[in-house]
Amino acid sequence: MSRELSHDPVRFTPTTIGETERGRTLVDMGSLLPAASALGLGMLAGVRLYATVFVVGLLLRFHWIALPSDWRTVSALADTRVLILAGIACVIEFIADKIPWLDSAWDGLHTFIRPIGAALLASSLLAHVDPVYQVLLFLLAGGVALTQHSAKAAVRLAVNHSPEPISNVTISLIEDAAFAGGMYLLVKHPWVMAGISLALLLSFALLARPIYRAVRADWKALGARLRSWMGESGLPKLDSAQQAWLVEHGAGQTPSRCFAVVATAEMKGFRNAVGTLCLAGNEAVFFTRRWGRLLARELGPVLAIEARMGFLVDELVVVGAGGVRQRFDLLGGQLKAAREEAQRRAALPALPHR
């Protein structure tokens, strides 16, 4: 008695992760699409958070172009109140981003707002996924936004040291154009946008150290300016290690004045380093710390100093022998003391340097 074998076709339903007959793993690329969207959202929000919310809300409300199916279930971003607030904030950001130093102050205030906003935006648009996956996407979007924001802040801080404002406007308009192109790619070609985001993240990783120093300087400058508006002078005091260094290298000279400053590109190897400029007799020394280790740079004899008012930071120039000028960003609240020191030195006869 024979038994017939069934020749019915085997039905295979694709799953996110399944095993083939050869033991290899199949991955449904559709399941990774939310991660690609989170990468793109984080990158865009790190540059233009309010514009991202505003544009996504408009697209959800008016259906001008075909959107990813996952986004269509989100109604909060299309709410009139959200659109009005996001639109107003978008206009303010558009203007502030083109004014020297105001852009850096704006970036400083948004160091935490942009990453959190990006994470919440990704969570709302990708709320349909598994809760564990959603938490990962929340962290991914927030982390990418923080990285992009930090790089943006570092670039703008460097641009603000240029003497003319056209570079600020140009960089800002380039960012606006990049945002528009990135938003199109996010909606129509999310995998392309994800690839661009990963490439930028790799580039930022290679520049993490200078970016960190620039953002730290930006935060120091913003904090000092806010304290100066509340009446604090901001003048630093030397710690024991700095005093010991002066005793050892400065023949025991007593500092006439110290200022909290940020080194500019003119200080080779110390760009964006936050530290203390110490004027001792007719000598000047710049102190900073790197990985907890005290570093000092002697500037040589000081013929004069100059102090000028700025927005986020003021400017302090040390004029040395031969007319060599070393420029520092003078943190807020010290301009009056710097001008007094400049006047005092201008009235004194030239001192012999050691």
Side-chain angles (χ1 to χ4, degrees), residues 7-345:
H7 296 284
D8 291 337
V10 178
R11 301 193 179 198
F12 174 75
T13 303
T15 57
T16 300
I17 299 178
E19 293 293 322
T20 65
E21 65 273 10
R22 296 183 181 179
R24 294 178 301 179
T25 303
L26 288 175
V27 178
D28 180 7
M29 296 302 290
S31 66
L32 298 179
L33 187 58
S37 297
L39 276 170
L41 286 169
M43 192 63 63
L44 294 177
V47 180
R48 296 285 188 271
L49 172 62
Y50 304 115
T52 303
V53 175
F54 184 65
V55 172
V56 171
L58 287 178
L59 295 178
L60 288 169
R61 179 157 184 163
F62 296 105
H63 309 290
W64 289 330
I65 61 176
L67 296 174
S69 59
D70 299 335
W71 294 16
R72 297 170 191 167
T73 59
V74 182
S75 59
L77 295 177
D79 186 88
T80 302
R81 293 163 294 183
V82 174
L83 289 175
I84 290 175
L85 289 176
I88 294 173
C90 182
V91 172
I92 295 173
E93 184 171 61
F94 180 84
I95 297 173
D97 198 63
K98 292 168 179 59
I99 301 175
W101 292 114
L102 182 58
D103 58 349
S104 289
W106 184 266
D107 286 338
L109 291 172
H110 285 75
T111 299
F112 298 106
I113 296 176
R114 282 173 180 157
I116 293 175
L120 293 175
L121 180 61
S123 293
S124 63
L125 290 174
L126 307 172
H128 64 286
V129 302
D130 180 85
V132 175
Y133 195 14
Q134 188 174 356
V135 171
L136 296 177
L137 296 177
F138 179 95
L139 297 174
L140 177 64
V144 172
L146 179 60
T147 303
Q148 176 62 39
H149 162 82
S150 301
K152 175 188 184 305
V155 170
R156 302 308 289 274
L157 188 63
V159 170
N160 281 328
H161 289 303
S162 63
E164 36 71 35
I166 188 64
S167 52
N168 294 75
V169 177
T170 302
I171 292 295
S172 182
L173 290 175
I174 291 174
E175 290 176 355
D176 292 333
F179 167 79
M183 181 58 69
Y184 171 80
L185 290 177
L186 176 64
V187 174
K188 305 302 291 185
H189 306 285
W191 286 110
V192 175
M193 185 59 190
I196 294 174
S197 300
L198 288 174
L200 290 175
L201 285 175
L202 179 60
S203 301
F204 298 154
L206 299 176
L207 300 173
R209 182 176 175 181
I211 288 175
Y212 165 76
R213 291 173 63 178
V215 174
R216 178 173 177 265
D218 198 8
W219 265 101
K220 288 285 187 179
L222 178 61
R225 180 58 69 190
L226 292 176
R227 289 191 297 271
S228 71
W229 290 340
M230 293 185 289
E232 297 185 22
S233 67
L235 292 173
K237 295 182 179 180
L238 294 181
D239 59 31
S240 57
Q242 293 167 337
Q243 292 173 353
W245 192 96
L246 285 178
V247 170
E248 181 181 353
H249 297 83
Q253 296 184 41
T254 302
S256 58
R257 190 78 77 165
C258 293
F259 299 99
V261 298
V262 178
T264 65
E266 296 172 2
M267 288 283 290
K268 301 299 183 182
F270 288 89
R271 183 174 185 174
N272 289 325
V274 180
T276 301
L277 178 65
C278 178
L279 302 174
N282 67 332
E283 301 288 330
V285 182
F286 173 70
F287 291 112
T288 188
R289 289 190 177 274
R290 188 170 296 169
W291 304 108
R293 184 167 59 95
L294 178 66
L295 300 178
R297 170 72 64 85
E298 295 182 88
L299 305 183
V302 178
L303 302 182
I305 66 170
E306 302 170 1
R308 303 185 184 90
M309 179 182 292
F311 177 73
L312 183 61
V313 293
D314 301 314
E315 185 179 89
L316 181 66
V317 179
V318 177
V319 183
V324 177
R325 302 165 67 87
Q326 292 278 359
R327 184 168 55 89
F328 294 88
D329 291 331
L330 182 67
L331 299 186
Q334 306 175 98
L335 183 61
K336 181 180 178 181
R339 285 176 170 173
E340 291 175 352
E341 180 66 15
Q343 293 174 356
R344 187 187 72 81
R345 285 178 173 271

